[in-house]
Structures are given as C-alpha cells and as structure tokens.
Amino acid sequence: METIQKIPVGVLGATGMVGQQYIALLAQHPWFEVRYVAASPRNAGKLYRDAMAGRWQLSSGWGPGVGDLVLEDANDAAAALQAVQQGRLGFVFSALEMEKDAILSLEEAYAARGIPVISNASANRWNADVPMLIAEVNPHHADIIPIQQKARSWDKGFIAVKPNCSIQSYMTPLYALLKAGYEVNRLFITTLQAVSGAGYPGVPSLDIIDNVVPYIGGEEEKSELEPLKILGTIRNGQIQPASAPKISAHCNRVPVVNGHTACVSLEFGAKKPSIEEVKAIWSSFSGLPQELNLPMAPKQPIILREEANRPQPRKDRDADKAMAVTLGRIRPCTIFDLRFVGLSHNTIRGAAGGGILNAELLKAKGYLG
Ligand code: NAP
C-alpha cells in the first residue's frame, strides 16, 4: 500500500479552546501531522501533556507523540523557522488570542519567514490581499495568494484566514441562494452563541449560568461586514467587498457549551423563490466538487431538519463531523420574505475544522506542501 508522507504542521495557541480542537481533529488526519505546538511564554518550555493537565476540554484525545512535544513561545517566529529547517514544520494554524496588532505582526513574521499561516484570528481579516475563506463559498479567493506574496516579497509564506464563527450558520445558506440566482437585499439576524466561543476560561460561570448576555464585543460588526468580503471580487490585486446584502445583527451569549444558533429573517430582491424552491436549493447545495475529496469537507454542507423544534445545539452541532450547517424552521416572514434558524459547531465548523478544510483546499490548489 502506498504510504503518504504527511505534512508536518504547527498549532499556535495549541493550549486554547480552538487550539485543542486542532490538536484533536488532526490526531487522525490523513495529510497533516502535528509536530510543533506553541502558546504564550507562560507555557513555553512545558511538555504539551503537562500544560494541558486539567485544561483539556474534549472527549477525544491528541495524536501519538503530541503530549511529548515541548511547547514553544508562539512569539518566537525564528524558532518556527528552525523547525522548518529541521523538517518538523511545513505550515502553521494560528489560534492565538492576543492583542490585535500583536497577532497581525506575528502572523506576518511567520509568513515572511516562508511559513504559510492558516489563521482563525481576526487580526488579518481586513487586509485586502488576505483571503477570508469558507471553502464551499469563496475558494476562488485563494487566487489572491500569489498577489499577496509578490506585493510583500514573500516567497513560500502567505496568510489565509477564516471568518468569525458567528457568520457560519447563515453564510453558506445565503451563498447558496445567491448562487441559485436570487438577489438578497437585507438580513436581520439574532445569534445565540455558545460559551466556548469566548475561549478558555472564557465567560465567568456566574455571568452565564441561568442567564443570557446581550453583548459580545466586536461580534455584531464582524457578523455584518465579513460576509461582504467573502462575497467580494478580486479586482486590481485586492478583494473588493460586495455592496449587498445589508445585514443587521444582534449577538447574544447563551449558556450552551458548543454550537452557535442564528435566527434569520431575509429579504429577496425582485425575484422571490417559494419556500419549496428555497428548501430544494439548500438540500441540493454541494459546495466543493466531490472529486477534490477533501477529508474534512462535509458530504452535505447544508442539512435540513423538518421537525418544528430543530435545529438544537445538543442534537445537531455534530452533524457530518460537526462540519455541516443545520437549518430548520424554514417559513415565510411577515416583514421580510423568509425566516429560518441555522446552527453550526463554533469551535469545529466555525474554527478549527473550518481552518483544516481551508488548508486542505489550499493544498489541493498547490499552495501547501
Ligand atoms: P483561548 O482559549 O483564549 O486560547 C488562546 C491561545 O492563545 C492560548 O493557547 C494562549 O496560550 C495563547 N496566547 C495568549 N496570549 C498569548 C501571548 N501573549 N503570546 C502567545 N500566545 C498567547 O482562545 P480561543 O477561543 O481558542 O481563540 C483563539 C483564536 O481563535 C482567537 O483569535 C479567536 O478570536 C479565534 N476564534 C475562536 C473561536 C471559538 O469558537 N472559540 C471561533 C473562531 C475564531 P496560553 O494557554 O499559554 O495562555
């Protein structure tokens, strides 16, 4: 049987909520193998297993050898370059939670050393030459990578990012409607976001048990603006954001561990599909070409539930490797045209799983490995 040489990868922020998901999801990955882990200077120098004692949040474990890796300081891009030279590192997933400017320059420091960065952080999302990828929606935005590399005189390094986890529950359904030829003018969205979205240790238990917090710093702006970049076009060496649809978002933190819900009202342009047409568009949406055969890609990116009380985080967040978006309560809207509820797993589809899928896409396009 042919043995496939796996690409050695690193996880920056390997001790955090998203970092742990990367480590767990990559444990059995057929193309990538975790050989480098990094966190803050507080944990640098510790064995990964020691740093994670009492902190590991997941029911599945890490891959062989990962517990024995020594955590590096993620601020030390030179150490990562050394790992590249020793054949222990091909590219990094960035799941850092630090001050925005610090992440921005740190991710650039890795890319400048020839190390591709697949990031979950928001710091680089609004650079016009950085693709903000949802693999099923805008894979063609990867075409900006050679432009980014040339403009910054980077050789093999580049930065590609994922959007915020809050938009995942409505972005793919929105795109499927646009792709089917229906204009969407306006979206009115209320999110109910899980506590794991705030990282670890995150929201204090006394603030969230028996409660709903109607504010998540910066989240409404991200929910309203990031879809426009994802729907944008590459022009004059930049990703120019789309001008529509207009989005109004209310973002709430709720006492759910994993799974972001979005209640959405949507207004079409002049041409309006029936509810049955909408359901047909969503249930037949295939996203990426099957022949790409990306390991993390869901078989069906959008799953419809007909029960009146679904989707629910506990019952639906893990659908199709926790990579599918589950939709339900699809019905007419008395103010706009259409209402539905969307749900996705925030630390998998909305973070580590989405990042791994982006890396698989970029490998398939020849940018990695
Ligand atoms: P988290 O649980 O707070 O983890 C943060 C990670 O960053 C830890 O590994 C931490 O290392 C490291 N870190 C903190 N300060 C550092 C410093 N000064 N230098 C180097 N490393 C440092 O956060 P998270 O929820 O995993 O989020 C990680 C990133 O993903 C954030 O940018 C977040 O916005 C984004 N994101 C999160 C989600 C989600 O659902 N949670 C979804 C999408 C995107 P130590 O353990 O050593 O402190």
Side-chain angles (χ1 to χ4, degrees), residues 12-20 22 38-44 51-52 55 71-75 94-99 102-103 106-107 119-123 125 162-166 194-202 219 222 253 258 260 345-348 350-352:
L12 311 180
T15 51
M17 278 309 303
V18 175
Q20 291 179 39
Y22 271 116
S40 76
R42 296 179 286 278
N43 279 310
M52 296 313 291
R55 193 172 163 181
L71 277 159
E72 302 284 347
D73 176 358
N75 300 282
S94 167
L96 294 166
E97 179 66 75
M98 293 161 66
E99 200 259 319
I103 297 186
L106 192 51
E107 291 183 346
S119 181
N120 289 84
S122 61
R125 283 187 200 149
K162 252 206 94 285
N164 200 50
C165 47
S166 62
V195 285
S196 61
Y200 184 83
E219 207 79 346
K222 291 173 189 168
R253 188 73 72 195
N258 287 308
H260 286 355
H345 196 303
N346 54 299
T347 61
I348 300 186

Coordinates of all heavy atoms in Angstrom, one line a residue, residues 12-20 22 38-44 51-52 55 71-75 94-99 102-103 106-107 119-123 125 162-166 194-202 219 222 253 258 260 345-348 350-352, ligand 1:
L12 N -0.3 27.3 16.6 CA 0.0 28.4 17.5 C -1.2 28.7 18.3 O -2.3 28.9 17.8 CB 0.3 29.7 16.7 CG 1.3 29.5 15.5 CD1 1.6 30.8 14.8 CD2 2.7 28.9 16.1
G13 N -1.1 28.7 19.7 CA -2.3 28.8 20.5 C -2.8 27.4 20.8 O -4.0 27.2 21.0
A14 N -1.9 26.4 20.9 CA -2.3 25.0 20.9 C -3.0 24.7 22.3 O -3.6 23.6 22.4 CB -1.1 24.1 20.8
T15 N -2.9 25.5 23.3 CA -3.4 25.2 24.6 C -4.9 25.8 24.7 O -5.6 25.5 25.7 CB -2.6 25.9 25.7 OG1 -2.4 27.2 25.3 CG2 -1.3 25.1 25.8
G16 N -5.3 26.6 23.8 CA -6.6 27.3 23.9 C -7.8 26.4 23.4 O -7.6 25.2 23.0
M17 N -9.0 27.0 23.4 CA -10.2 26.2 23.0 C -10.1 25.7 21.6 O -10.3 24.6 21.2 CB -11.4 27.1 23.1 CG -12.0 27.2 24.5 SD -12.3 25.6 25.3 CE -13.4 24.8 24.2
V18 N -9.7 26.7 20.7 CA -9.6 26.3 19.3 C -8.4 25.5 19.0 O -8.4 24.5 18.3 CB -9.6 27.6 18.4 CG1 -9.3 27.3 16.9 CG2 -10.9 28.4 18.6
G19 N -7.2 25.8 19.7 CA -6.0 25.0 19.6 C -6.2 23.6 19.9 O -5.8 22.7 19.2
Q20 N -7.0 23.3 21.0 CA -7.3 21.9 21.4 C -8.1 21.2 20.3 O -7.8 20.0 20.0 CB -8.1 21.9 22.7 CG -7.4 22.4 23.9 CD -8.3 22.3 25.1 OE1 -9.1 21.4 25.3 NE2 -8.1 23.3 26.0
Y22 N -7.9 21.8 17.1 CA -7.0 21.5 16.1 C -6.2 20.2 16.4 O -6.1 19.3 15.6 CB -6.0 22.6 15.9 CG -6.4 23.7 14.9 CD1 -6.6 25.0 15.3 CD2 -6.6 23.4 13.5 CE1 -7.0 26.0 14.4 CE2 -6.9 24.3 12.6 CZ -7.1 25.6 13.1 OH -7.5 26.6 12.2
A38 N 2.8 25.6 20.0 CA 3.2 26.9 20.6 C 2.1 27.6 21.4 O 0.9 27.5 21.0 CB 3.8 27.8 19.6
A39 N 2.5 28.3 22.4 CA 1.5 29.0 23.2 C 2.2 30.3 23.8 O 3.1 30.8 23.2 CB 0.9 28.1 24.3
S40 N 1.7 30.8 24.9 CA 2.2 32.0 25.4 C 3.5 31.7 26.2 O 3.8 30.5 26.5 CB 1.2 32.6 26.4 OG 1.3 31.9 27.6
P41 N 4.3 32.7 26.5 CA 5.5 32.5 27.3 C 5.3 31.8 28.6 O 6.1 31.1 29.1 CB 6.1 33.9 27.5 CG 5.5 34.7 26.4 CD 4.2 34.1 26.1
R42 N 4.0 31.9 29.1 CA 3.7 31.3 30.4 C 3.8 29.8 30.3 O 4.1 29.1 31.3 CB 2.2 31.6 30.8 CG 1.9 33.1 31.0 CD 0.4 33.3 31.4 NE -0.4 33.2 30.2 CZ -0.7 34.1 29.3 NH1 -0.1 35.3 29.5 NH2 -1.4 34.0 28.3
N43 N 3.5 29.2 29.1 CA 3.6 27.8 29.0 C 4.8 27.3 28.2 O 5.0 26.0 28.1 CB 2.3 27.3 28.3 CG 1.2 27.2 29.4 OD1 1.3 26.6 30.4 ND2 0.0 27.8 29.1
A44 N 5.5 28.2 27.5 CA 6.6 27.7 26.7 C 7.6 26.9 27.6 O 7.9 27.3 28.7 CB 7.3 29.0 26.1
A51 N 1.2 20.9 30.3 CA 0.4 22.2 30.2 C -1.1 22.0 30.1 O -1.9 22.8 30.6 CB 0.9 23.0 28.9
M52 N -1.5 20.9 29.6 CA -2.9 20.6 29.4 C -3.6 19.8 30.5 O -4.8 19.6 30.5 CB -3.2 19.8 28.1 CG -2.7 20.6 26.8 SD -3.3 22.3 26.8 CE -5.1 22.0 26.6
R55 N -6.9 20.9 31.8 CA -7.3 22.0 31.0 C -8.0 21.5 29.7 O -8.7 22.2 29.0 CB -6.2 22.9 30.6 CG -6.6 24.2 30.0 CD -5.4 25.2 29.9 NE -5.7 26.2 28.9 CZ -4.9 27.2 28.6 NH1 -3.7 27.3 29.1 NH2 -5.3 28.1 27.7
L71 N 6.2 22.8 24.3 CA 5.6 24.0 23.8 C 6.6 25.1 23.5 O 7.5 25.3 24.4 CB 4.5 24.5 24.8 CG 3.2 23.8 24.8 CD1 2.4 24.0 26.1 CD2 2.3 24.4 23.6
E72 N 6.5 25.7 22.4 CA 7.4 26.8 22.0 C 6.6 28.1 22.4 O 5.4 28.1 22.6 CB 7.7 26.8 20.5 CG 8.3 25.6 20.0 CD 9.8 25.4 20.3 OE1 10.4 26.4 20.8 OE2 10.4 24.3 20.2
D73 N 7.4 29.2 22.4 CA 6.8 30.5 22.6 C 6.3 30.9 21.2 O 7.1 31.1 20.3 CB 7.8 31.5 23.1 CG 7.3 32.9 23.2 OD1 6.1 33.1 22.9 OD2 8.0 33.8 23.7
A74 N 5.0 31.1 21.1 CA 4.4 31.5 19.7 C 4.9 32.8 19.2 O 4.9 33.1 18.0 CB 2.9 31.5 19.8
N75 N 5.5 33.7 20.1 CA 6.0 34.9 19.7 C 7.4 34.8 19.0 O 7.9 35.7 18.4 CB 6.2 35.9 20.9 CG 4.9 36.1 21.6 OD1 4.1 36.9 21.1 ND2 4.6 35.4 22.7
S94 N -3.0 29.2 13.1 CA -2.9 30.2 14.1 C -4.2 30.3 14.9 O -5.2 30.6 14.3 CB -2.5 31.6 13.5 OG -2.7 32.6 14.5
A95 N -4.2 30.0 16.2 CA -5.4 30.1 17.0 C -5.0 30.9 18.2 O -5.2 30.5 19.4 CB -5.9 28.7 17.4
L96 N -4.4 32.0 18.0 CA -3.9 32.9 19.1 C -5.0 33.9 19.5 O -5.7 34.4 18.7 CB -2.7 33.7 18.6 CG -1.4 32.8 18.3 CD1 -0.4 33.7 17.6 CD2 -0.8 32.3 19.6
E97 N -5.0 34.1 20.8 CA -5.8 35.2 21.4 C -4.9 36.2 22.0 O -4.4 35.9 23.1 CB -6.8 34.6 22.4 CG -7.7 35.6 23.0 CD -8.7 36.2 22.1 OE1 -9.6 35.6 21.7 OE2 -8.5 37.4 21.7
M98 N -4.6 37.3 21.4 CA -3.7 38.3 21.9 C -4.2 39.6 21.4 O -5.2 39.7 20.6 CB -2.3 38.1 21.3 CG -1.6 36.9 21.8 SD -0.2 36.5 20.7 CE 0.9 37.9 20.9
E99 N -3.6 40.7 21.7 CA -3.9 42.0 21.2 C -3.8 42.0 19.7 O -2.9 41.4 19.1 CB -3.0 43.0 21.9 CG -3.4 44.4 21.9 CD -2.7 45.2 20.8 OE1 -1.5 45.0 20.5 OE2 -3.4 46.0 20.1
A102 N -0.6 42.8 17.8 CA 0.4 41.8 18.1 C 0.2 40.5 17.2 O 1.2 40.0 16.6 CB 0.4 41.4 19.5
I103 N -1.0 40.1 17.0 CA -1.3 38.9 16.2 C -0.9 39.3 14.7 O -0.3 38.5 14.0 CB -2.7 38.4 16.3 CG1 -3.0 38.0 17.7 CG2 -3.0 37.3 15.3 CD1 -4.4 37.3 17.9
L106 N 2.7 39.3 14.2 CA 3.3 38.0 14.4 C 3.0 37.0 13.2 O 3.9 36.3 12.8 CB 2.7 37.4 15.7 CG 3.4 36.1 16.3 CD1 4.9 36.3 16.4 CD2 2.8 35.8 17.7
E107 N 1.7 37.0 12.8 CA 1.4 36.2 11.6 C 2.2 36.6 10.4 O 2.7 35.8 9.6 CB -0.1 36.3 11.3 CG -0.9 35.6 12.4 CD -2.4 35.5 12.2 OE1 -2.9 36.2 11.3 OE2 -3.1 34.8 12.9
S119 N -5.1 31.1 9.5 CA -5.5 31.7 10.8 C -6.9 31.7 11.1 O -7.8 31.9 10.2 CB -4.9 33.1 10.8 OG -5.2 33.8 12.0
N120 N -7.2 31.6 12.4 CA -8.6 31.8 12.9 C -8.7 33.2 13.6 O -9.9 33.6 13.9 CB -8.9 30.8 14.0 CG -9.0 29.4 13.5 OD1 -8.0 28.7 13.3 ND2 -10.2 29.0 13.2
A121 N -7.6 33.9 13.7 CA -7.7 35.2 14.4 C -8.3 36.3 13.5 O -8.2 36.1 12.3 CB -6.3 35.6 14.9
S122 N -8.8 37.3 14.1 CA -9.5 38.4 13.2 C -8.5 39.4 12.7 O -8.8 40.2 11.8 CB -10.6 39.1 14.0 OG -10.0 39.7 15.1
A123 N -7.2 39.4 13.3 CA -6.3 40.5 13.0 C -6.0 40.8 11.5 O -6.0 41.9 11.1 CB -5.0 40.2 13.7
R125 N -8.0 39.8 8.9 CA -9.1 39.6 8.1 C -9.4 40.7 7.1 O -10.0 40.5 6.0 CB -10.4 39.3 8.9 CG -10.4 37.9 9.5 CD -11.7 37.6 10.2 NE -11.6 36.5 11.1 CZ -12.2 36.4 12.3 NH1 -13.1 37.2 12.6 NH2 -12.0 35.3 13.0
K162 N -9.8 32.6 8.3 CA -11.2 32.1 8.4 C -12.0 33.3 8.9 O -11.5 34.1 9.6 CB -11.3 31.0 9.4 CG -11.5 29.6 9.0 CD -12.2 28.8 10.0 CE -13.7 28.8 9.9 NZ -14.4 29.9 10.2
P163 N -13.3 33.4 8.5 CA -14.1 34.4 9.1 C -14.5 34.1 10.5 O -14.2 33.0 11.0 CB -15.3 34.5 8.2 CG -15.5 33.1 7.6 CD -14.1 32.6 7.5
N164 N -15.2 35.0 11.1 CA -15.7 34.8 12.5 C -16.7 33.6 12.6 O -17.5 33.4 11.6 CB -16.4 36.1 12.9 CG -16.6 36.2 14.4 OD1 -15.6 36.0 15.2 ND2 -17.8 36.4 14.9
C165 N -16.7 32.9 13.7 CA -17.6 31.8 13.9 C -19.1 32.1 13.8 O -19.9 31.3 13.5 CB -17.3 31.0 15.2 SG -17.2 32.1 16.6
S166 N -19.4 33.4 14.2 CA -20.8 33.8 14.3 C -21.5 33.7 12.9 O -22.7 33.5 12.8 CB -21.0 35.2 14.8 OG -20.3 36.1 14.0
A194 N -22.5 30.1 21.8 CA -22.0 29.3 22.8 C -20.9 29.9 23.6 O -20.1 30.7 23.1 CB -21.6 27.9 22.2
V195 N -20.7 29.4 24.9 CA -19.6 30.0 25.7 C -18.2 29.6 25.2 O -17.3 30.4 25.4 CB -19.8 29.6 27.2 CG1 -20.9 30.3 27.9 CG2 -20.0 28.1 27.3
S196 N -18.1 28.5 24.5 CA -16.8 28.1 24.1 C -16.2 29.1 23.0 O -15.0 29.2 22.8 CB -16.8 26.7 23.5 OG -17.6 26.6 22.3
G197 N -17.1 29.9 22.5 CA -16.7 31.0 21.5 C -15.9 32.0 22.2 O -15.2 32.8 21.5
A198 N -15.9 32.1 23.5 CA -15.2 33.1 24.3 C -13.8 32.6 24.7 O -13.1 33.2 25.5 CB -16.0 33.6 25.4
G199 N -13.4 31.4 24.3 CA -12.1 30.8 24.6 C -12.2 30.3 26.0 O -13.2 30.1 26.7
Y200 N -11.0 29.9 26.5 CA -10.9 29.3 27.9 C -10.0 30.2 28.8 O -9.0 30.7 28.4 CB -10.2 27.9 27.8 CG -10.1 27.2 29.1 CD1 -11.2 26.5 29.6 CD2 -9.0 27.3 29.9 CE1 -11.2 25.9 30.8 CE2 -9.0 26.7 31.1 CZ -10.1 25.9 31.6 OH -10.1 25.3 32.8
P201 N -10.4 30.5 30.0 CA -11.7 30.0 30.7 C -12.9 30.8 30.3 O -14.0 30.3 30.6 CB -11.3 30.3 32.2 CG -10.4 31.4 32.2 CD -9.6 31.3 30.9
G202 N -12.8 31.8 29.5 CA -14.0 32.5 28.9 C -14.9 33.2 29.9 O -14.4 33.8 30.8
E219 N -18.6 41.6 17.9 CA -19.2 40.5 17.2 C -20.2 40.9 16.1 O -20.3 40.4 15.1 CB -19.8 39.5 18.2 CG -19.9 38.1 17.7 CD -18.6 37.3 17.9 OE1 -17.5 37.9 18.1 OE2 -18.6 36.1 17.7
K222 N -18.5 42.3 13.0 CA -17.9 41.2 12.2 C -19.1 40.4 11.5 O -19.0 40.1 10.3 CB -17.2 40.2 13.1 CG -15.9 40.7 13.7 CD -15.3 39.7 14.7 CE -14.2 40.3 15.5 NZ -13.7 39.6 16.6
R253 N -24.7 36.0 24.0 CA -24.0 34.8 24.6 C -25.0 34.1 25.5 O -25.8 34.7 26.3 CB -22.9 35.3 25.5 CG -22.0 34.2 26.0 CD -21.1 33.6 24.9 NE -20.0 34.5 24.5 CZ -19.3 34.3 23.4 NH1 -19.6 33.3 22.5 NH2 -18.3 35.2 23.1
N258 N -21.2 24.3 23.2 CA -20.8 24.4 21.8 C -22.0 24.5 20.9 O -23.0 23.9 21.1 CB -20.0 23.2 21.4 CG -18.6 23.1 22.0 OD1 -17.9 24.0 21.9 ND2 -18.3 21.9 22.6
H260 N -23.3 27.6 17.7 CA -23.9 28.9 17.6 C -25.2 28.8 16.7 O -25.2 28.2 15.6 CB -22.9 29.8 16.8 CG -21.7 30.3 17.6 ND1 -21.6 30.0 19.0 CD2 -20.7 31.0 17.3 CE1 -20.4 30.6 19.4 NE2 -19.9 31.2 18.4
H345 N -21.3 24.2 14.6 CA -20.4 24.0 15.7 C -19.4 25.1 15.6 O -18.6 25.1 14.7 CB -19.8 22.6 15.6 CG -19.2 22.1 16.9 ND1 -18.2 22.8 17.5 CD2 -19.4 21.1 17.6 CE1 -17.8 22.2 18.6 NE2 -18.6 21.1 18.7
N346 N -19.3 25.9 16.7 CA -18.4 27.1 16.6 C -16.9 26.8 16.6 O -16.1 27.4 15.9 CB -18.8 28.1 17.6 CG -18.8 27.6 19.0 OD1 -19.5 26.6 19.3 ND2 -17.9 28.1 19.9
T347 N -16.5 25.8 17.5 CA -15.1 25.5 17.5 C -14.6 24.5 16.4 O -13.4 24.4 16.2 CB -14.6 25.1 18.9 OG1 -15.2 23.8 19.2 CG2 -14.9 26.1 20.0
I348 N -15.6 23.9 15.8 CA -15.2 23.0 14.7 C -15.5 23.7 13.3 O -14.6 24.3 12.7 CB -15.8 21.6 14.8 CG1 -15.4 21.0 16.2 CG2 -15.4 20.7 13.7 CD1 -15.8 19.5 16.4
G350 N -16.9 26.4 12.8 CA -16.6 27.9 12.8 C -15.1 28.2 13.2 O -14.8 29.4 13.2
A351 N -14.3 27.2 13.5 CA -12.9 27.5 13.8 C -11.9 26.4 13.3 O -11.5 26.5 12.2 CB -12.8 27.7 15.4
A352 N -11.6 25.4 14.2 CA -10.5 24.5 13.8 C -10.9 23.7 12.6 O -10.0 23.5 11.7 CB -10.1 23.6 15.0
Ligands
NAP1 P1 -8.2 30.9 24.1 O1 -8.9 29.6 24.5 O2 -8.2 32.0 25.0 O3 -6.7 30.5 23.7 C1 -5.8 31.5 23.4 C2 -4.4 30.9 23.0 O4 -3.5 32.0 22.7 C3 -3.8 30.0 24.1 O5 -3.0 29.0 23.5 C4 -2.8 31.0 24.7 O6 -1.7 30.4 25.3 C5 -2.4 31.8 23.5 N1 -1.9 33.1 23.9 C6 -2.5 34.0 24.8 N2 -1.7 35.1 25.0 C7 -0.5 34.9 24.3 C8 0.7 35.6 24.1 N3 0.9 36.8 24.7 N4 1.6 35.1 23.3 C9 1.5 33.9 22.7 N5 0.3 33.1 22.8 C10 -0.7 33.6 23.6 O7 -8.9 31.4 22.7 P2 -9.7 30.6 21.6 O8 -11.1 30.6 21.9 O9 -9.0 29.3 21.4 O10 -9.5 31.5 20.3 C11 -8.3 31.5 19.6 C12 -8.4 32.4 18.4 O11 -9.5 31.9 17.5 C13 -8.9 33.9 18.7 O12 -8.3 34.8 17.9 C14 -10.4 33.8 18.5 O13 -10.9 35.1 18.2 C15 -10.5 32.9 17.3 N6 -11.7 32.1 17.2 C16 -12.3 31.5 18.2 C17 -13.5 30.7 18.1 C18 -14.1 30.0 19.2 O14 -15.2 29.4 18.9 N7 -13.5 29.9 20.4 C19 -14.1 30.7 16.8 C20 -13.5 31.4 15.7 C21 -12.3 32.1 15.9 P3 -1.6 30.1 26.9 O15 -2.5 29.0 27.2 O16 -0.2 29.8 27.2 O17 -2.1 31.4 27.6

